[in-house]
Amino acid sequence: MDATPVSAPAAAVPVGEAATPRASVLRMDGIGKRFGQFQALTDVSLELCAGEVHCLLGENGAGKSTLCNVMFGVHQPDAGAMWLDGAPYRPHSPRDALTHGIAMVHQHFSLVEDVSVLDNLLLGQARGWLDRKREAQRVRVLVAELGLALDPDARVADLSVGEKQRVEIVKCLIREPRLLVLDEPTAVLLPAEIDALLNTCAKVVERGCAVVLVTHKLAEIRRIANRATVLQSGRVVARSSNPSADVDALVRAMIQRPAQANDAQPADNTVRAVAPAATPSASPYGRPLADEALQVDGLTVRDADGVMRLQDCTLVVNRGEIVGIAGVEGNGQSELGAVLAGMQKASAGRFFVQGKDCTHAAPQTLTRAGVGVVPEDRHAVGCVPDMSVTDNLFLNRLDDYARRGFMRRRAMRRDARTLMQRFDVRAASPDVAFRGLSGGNQQKAVLARELTLDGLAVLVAAQPTRGLDVGAVAAVYEHIRAARDDGVGVLLISSELDELMAVADRVLVMYRGRIMGTCVPDKSQLTLQRERIGAWMAGQTA
């Protein structure tokens, strides 16, 4: 059954028929949470029942993890109330939540790598004399009941990603919780490991436990969900008591926005989208190969655990074009950006900058080839925080200011002031430490350095607006558009779909390391295009 169009973000749209009532484990009424000026959750109400898997859906930044962290006592709500088994519940810490029978598996592992599985499982639980043999047997019985393969004596550092995920889950289940919260647990797993995890969820709910599963993946919703709730901008916008039948409506609720005049659907109800190019030489729009700034040919990346992160990625970025890469984080975008920046080696495939093979080039060589890089983590790899703003602005061309073994500091400061004014980088002086700048000013400084690179041909910008305020976001995209207009080819990797649709000339969607489809944004078809892109992001091909 389709959802009624969402007329206001605050209103939840019921989807599907009412399900048979089950015993309520946790009820949340009117939950609100603010971080500074940012309202992360607004008037969120949710009921989690015993013996059910409740899927929590929404785009990146919709408030899903914040809501889970409120359940688990990581954050305390600013408004609203919670009841656990009918009694008031207000946890002040994760330990408090665990005491009340609520356990959570976070997006990122929290294991001690150098000790055994058993030691990790017992951390914070064992008191007094520890009978390791008895505890190991208890673990073996539990994992056998759940159909998991896990050796209590194995060292965590020697486990695969999927096995580590099992440890996290067993670490929660060994406490026999009433509510298990899983925050995007399948993002790093192989298909077989995902199947095993979903089988475990099914067995857990058979034991009477309530499970919250945060996911973007349609196959998981169809297979395991008893109920589903969609968040958008921190508000509940849709609910379903029959998610497997209502997947399409749930996807629409995840991605739709209040209707605009230019969102009218075309009469033929079609989406203007094309399949990804079969070969790197097939340039879009029939443009000649000479227009190609960047050509990516079958790039593949396996991580240290052998997990395929990027699979046979093939794309072209033309001069004077912004190509956006959309997708839920963790689907190969970071690996693609890292390979193109020279910070990670490809397991297979090649890439070319202006026709030159740069597959194995070091970052310095890529800079000389005309590749500018705005990295995903500007603090870790985009700057040297303890150096001055001036030094950071010219990290990629310090040789230009060297003369007879000395740096021309006066010329550097003069040129730094010019760049700071041009890119609106606000600091007391060019000599202040880079770490003293706000996040927006740091990002504008990194962008200034990369966009003024001599011979710039390609800009690889990964999550360039993450953590920035509205004004800084607008400034970043103004400069990226200007570079495009000057003939630079831009590969823009972002988890913000609205930004990509507004800025990019083409949008490619990645899922599990593969390009699922390509869309040319069209203001007259934005609603339909968002639906198609949302389906691709969740792994749906048709």
Side-chain angles (χ1 to χ4, degrees):
M1 178 182 296
D2 289 349
T4 305
V6 179
S7 57
V13 180
V15 181
E17 303 299 326
T20 303
R22 296 174 183 262
S24 175
V25 175
L26 178 68
R27 182 161 61 91
M28 311 177 83
D29 282 345
I31 297 297
K33 181 61 184 177
R34 178 184 291 274
F35 298 98
Q37 297 300 311
F38 176 64
Q39 188 72 39
L41 297 173
T42 303
D43 193 28
V44 175
S45 296
L46 190 70
E47 186 168 31
L48 306 173
C49 299
E52 285 189 350
V53 175
H54 197 124
C55 281
L56 200 57
L57 315 174
E59 293 183 294
N60 291 312
K64 306 182 299 297
S65 292
T66 300
L67 185 61
C68 291
N69 283 323
V70 168
M71 298 178 198
F72 192 53
V74 176
H75 303 314
Q76 283 68 55
D78 301 317
M82 295 187 286
W83 286 267
L84 184 66
D85 292 334
Y89 169 68
R90 192 176 181 89
H92 297 289
S93 67
R95 179 181 291 274
D96 196 5
L98 287 168
T99 301
H100 284 83
I102 297 179
M104 180 172 175
V105 176
H106 297 270
Q107 291 185 32
H108 306 289
F109 298 148
S110 57
L111 303 173
V112 182
E113 295 272 325
D114 292 331
V115 301
S116 71
V117 169
L118 181 61
D119 290 332
N120 273 272
L121 296 178
L122 298 180
L123 282 174
Q125 298 188 55
R127 298 175 184 273
W129 180 261
L130 178 63
D131 186 338
R132 294 183 62 84
K133 186 175 181 180
R134 180 174 61 83
E135 294 296 338
Q137 181 58 28
R138 184 162 72 101
V139 170
R140 289 189 176 94
V141 170
L142 176 60
V143 298
E145 289 177 357
L146 297 173
L148 299 175
L150 197 61
D151 179 6
D153 298 321
R155 193 171 72 112
V156 168
D158 298 329
L159 302 181
S160 69
V161 174
E163 288 170 329
K164 290 177 182 177
Q165 185 70 279
R166 290 176 218 160
V167 177
E168 290 279 15
I169 293 171
V170 173
K171 187 169 67 173
C172 292
L173 295 180
I174 201 170
R175 296 176 179 271
E176 299 182 355
R178 285 175 289 171
L179 172 62
L180 176 63
V181 182
L182 302 171
D183 191 1
E184 297 201 47
T186 64
V188 296
L189 301 185
L190 296 170
E193 294 169 335
I194 293 174
D195 288 340
L197 174 61
L198 296 181
N199 288 336
T200 299
C201 286
K203 292 179 180 179
V204 168
V205 297
E206 286 176 3
R207 295 154 65 109
C209 184
V211 174
V212 174
L213 176 63
V214 178
T215 183
H216 295 84
K217 299 175 181 177
L218 303 184
E220 296 172 13
I221 299 168
R222 288 192 177 101
R223 175 172 167 181
I224 199 72
N226 298 106
R227 298 177 190 265
T229 297
V230 180
L231 292 180
Q232 187 184 110
S233 301
R235 297 175 182 267
V236 175
V237 295
R239 306 180 193 275
S240 171
S241 55
N242 189 11
S244 63
D246 297 330
V247 167
D248 291 341
L250 293 170
V251 169
R252 284 195 294 273
M254 283 172 59
I255 63 179
Q256 68 185 12
R257 296 288 182 269
Q260 302 292 333
N262 61 359
D263 281 350
Q265 296 183 5
D268 61 358
N269 199 39
T270 58
V271 178
R272 185 170 300 171
V274 297
T279 66
S281 61
S283 297
Y285 324 129
R287 297 169 69 160
L289 294 179
D291 278 354
E292 293 181 0
L294 173 68
Q295 182 187 107
V296 175
D297 181 6
L299 281 184
T300 298
V301 173
R302 290 183 180 271
D303 66 14
D305 295 315
V307 177
M308 187 82 74
R309 297 300 184 189
L310 188 66
Q311 186 172 358
D312 193 27
C313 180
T314 295
L315 60 88
V316 167
V317 180
N318 293 291
R319 291 184 173 90
E321 179 184 40
I322 299 174
V323 174
I325 302 292
V328 178
E329 290 188 50
N331 278 277
Q333 308 96 309
S334 296
E335 288 75 11
L336 175 61
V339 170
L340 297 178
M343 294 185 290
Q344 184 168 353
K345 297 299 182 183
S347 304
R350 302 177 297 171
F351 73 91
F352 302 82
V353 177
Q354 300 188 100
K356 180 181 178 180
D357 191 340
C358 294
T359 309
H360 303 294
Q364 186 176 16
T365 303
L366 287 169
T367 298
R368 290 196 295 266
V371 180
V373 177
V374 179
E376 185 172 330
D377 188 343
R378 62 176 175 267
H379 298 104
V381 296
C383 67
V384 183
D386 291 326
M387 291 176 66
S388 69
V389 174
T390 296
D391 290 334
N392 275 277
L393 282 171
F394 301 116
L395 280 176
N396 56 6
R397 45 182 160 159
L398 291 175
D399 289 347
D400 293 350
Y401 295 93
R403 179 177 295 175
R404 297 176 182 176
F406 294 93
M407 299 300 296
R408 296 185 293 130
R409 305 296 304 184
R410 182 176 298 178
M412 288 180 68
R413 291 190 191 95
R414 179 197 66 218
D415 292 348
R417 289 190 181 94
T418 300
L419 278 184
M420 291 169 68
Q421 183 176 9
R422 175 181 166 187
F423 286 85
D424 193 28
V425 179
R426 302 177 186 181
S429 82
D431 299 321
V432 301
F434 195 81
R435 70 166 63 254
L437 273 61
S438 68
N441 283 303
Q442 287 181 350
Q443 190 72 321
K444 286 186 284 186
V446 172
L447 199 66
R449 181 185 68 216
E450 301 303 316
L451 285 178
T452 55
L453 178 69
D454 289 339
L456 180 65
V458 176
L459 177 70
V460 179
Q463 310 295 350
T465 61
R466 175 178 287 162
L468 305 189
D469 59 40
V470 175
V473 169
V476 165
Y477 283 130
E478 180 181 352
H479 292 303
I480 288 177
R481 284 191 182 102
R484 183 267 314 274
D485 294 342
D486 287 339
V488 175
V490 180
L491 186 70
L492 176 60
I493 301 170
S494 177
S495 57
E496 301 295 335
L497 181 55
D498 285 337
E499 294 179 8
L500 287 178
M501 295 294 282
V503 175
D505 299 298
R506 286 186 291 139
V507 175
L508 281 63
V509 182
M510 294 191 69
Y511 175 77
R512 293 188 183 176
R514 299 182 68 93
I515 295 176
M516 300 293 290
T518 305
C519 176
V520 179
D522 184 337
K523 289 183 179 180
S524 68
Q525 302 188 51
L526 285 181
T527 299
L528 284 171
Q529 289 185 329
R530 286 182 60 86
E531 290 179 13
R532 175 62 64 86
I533 290 173
W536 283 337
M537 289 170 64
Q540 185 169 292
T541 57

